[in-house]
Amino acid sequence: MSFVSITTWRLVGETETLEHVKDLMVRKYFPGLLALGAEHSMLVDTDLDRFAIVTVYPSREARDQTFARISALRSEGAEEFGAELMEAYAGDMLASSGS
């Protein structure tokens, strides 16, 4: 069963933009998450100065094996994004429209 992580963030730097976050995600953080076992990751614009990162792992075990490294990526990302982590959720995927 797939396991999903959802983190919500708020931009705190006056000069930071979602475009800056998008560029960093595409260039650095999506490849980093995939290298740590993620199957898929998405950046979602949720509000004026907020965004979410949704990441799908093949299983809870796959995510748990690299959780310390994922946490380090989050800390690094917070600095580079100019954002603060608001909330982090994670759980087993119960249903999906995909196959």
Side-chain angles (χ1 to χ4, degrees):
M1 173 175 293
S2 294
F3 188 78
V4 179
S5 167
I6 303 168
T7 55
T8 59
W9 301 77
R10 182 174 65 88
L11 292 170
V12 293
E14 289 185 25
T15 61
E16 301 302 338
T17 65
L18 198 52
E19 189 64 33
H20 170 73
V21 173
K22 179 180 137 188
D23 291 343
L24 283 169
M25 288 301 297
V26 169
R27 183 173 43 84
K28 181 177 182 179
Y29 291 98
F30 286 152
L33 290 166
L34 295 175
L36 293 175
E39 293 179 333
H40 187 69
S41 191
M42 298 155 276
L43 174 64
V44 180
D45 181 1
T46 59
D47 206 348
L48 295 173
D49 63 348
R50 295 167 196 243
F51 60 94
I53 299 171
V54 180
T55 305
V56 179
Y57 297 89
S59 66
R60 179 185 298 265
E61 294 77 23
R63 194 287 307 255
D64 288 352
Q65 289 174 356
T66 58
F67 187 72
R69 291 169 45 201
I70 293 165
S71 294
L73 265 184
R74 285 180 182 165
S75 295
E76 186 179 322
E79 286 185 40
E80 284 194 280
F81 296 157
E84 69 178 340
L85 178 63
M86 304 281 293
E87 296 180 297
Y89 306 96
D92 294 319
M93 185 184 308
L94 299 179
S96 170
S97 63
S99 51

